[in-house]
Amino acid sequence: MAEEPRELQKSILRAAREGFAVKGFYGTSMEFITRSAGVSKGAVYWYYPGKWEIYKAVLSEEAERIKRIVIPPGLHLTLADALDFFLIRGEGLIDILAEDRLCRLLFIHLQLEAMRGREEMAEFVASLHGSITEDVIPLLERIFPEDILSSRGITHKSFMNMFINILYGIILNIDLTITRDEAKQNWRFFIKNVIGGITGEA
């Protein structure tokens, strides 16, 4: 019996994920979610006060899934590990997201609504970014001593943002302007020149 509530909640989030990815937040109704999940409105409201809470749950789950792929729990790296780590993790993420169109669409819709001036969306983007920063910055600080980056005129935070923006741009363009193989080639070129330049492995 303990499994039933969890499975019900998963069904709600799966249905909402598809709706939000394909139609966006504003195009997805509670009726669509309940109908697609095969549950009553009462069941949905038992777990979530409203659509906004469902949306945040879906996107937060996606962000956490991506973080676990890139930074698995208990990860310990040194500067000597950096090149292989970034190459392998980046290519793995490209593979996963190339096959997961819904995940890519979720984040595209979120960014678009934030750009359109939807305050709650902009705040949510900032909170997701803050969560990523909280996990990634300590890792970068362990891998790259501060003087290595400061001598190049950048901070750990700007270094992280550069990586996120490059990878995000590559992933968004898969099957639009580049193939998956070309995306990986772009990522390898970027990592080998940036990380390889820092570690002396370029």
Side-chain angles (χ1 to χ4, degrees), residues 57-127:
V58 168
L59 269 292
S60 296
E61 192 172 272
E62 294 296 309
E64 286 301 317
R65 179 170 71 96
I66 290 169
K67 279 198 293 183
R68 285 194 300 271
I69 293 166
V70 178
I71 312 172
L75 180 68
H76 296 288
L77 293 174
T78 65
L79 185 61
D81 304 317
L83 183 63
D84 285 342
F85 170 78
F86 282 102
L87 282 172
I88 292 167
R89 294 293 169 181
E91 288 188 25
L93 192 58
I94 286 170
D95 276 332
I96 289 166
L97 294 184
E99 294 170 10
D100 192 346
R101 175 176 163 268
L102 294 184
C103 181
R104 285 187 285 156
L105 284 171
L106 280 168
F107 287 104
I108 290 170
H109 278 295
L110 173 62
Q111 295 282 355
L112 282 174
E113 294 302 342
M115 289 173 65
R116 288 178 177 134
R118 305 275 189 177
E119 189 175 337
E120 68 275 19
M121 295 293 183
E123 289 174 358
F124 189 40
V125 168
S127 74

Side-chain angles (χ1 to χ4, degrees), residues 6 38 43 68 108 115 142 155 182 190 202:
R6 282 200 291 270
R68 285 194 300 271
I108 290 170
M115 289 173 65
R142 289 194 298 272
T155 64
E182 287 170 334
F190 173 69

Side-chain angles (χ1 to χ4, degrees), residues 144-175:
F144 302 103
E146 190 170 345
D147 60 318
I148 287 181
L149 297 185
S150 61
S151 66
R152 291 167 169 78
I154 56 174
T155 64
H156 287 99
K157 185 173 182 179
S158 61
F159 195 54
M160 179 201 73
N161 285 334
M162 175 179 63
F163 274 95
I164 290 174
N165 291 335
I166 293 292
L167 189 56
Y168 188 68
I170 290 172
I171 289 168
L172 286 184
N173 282 290
I174 294 173
D175 294 333

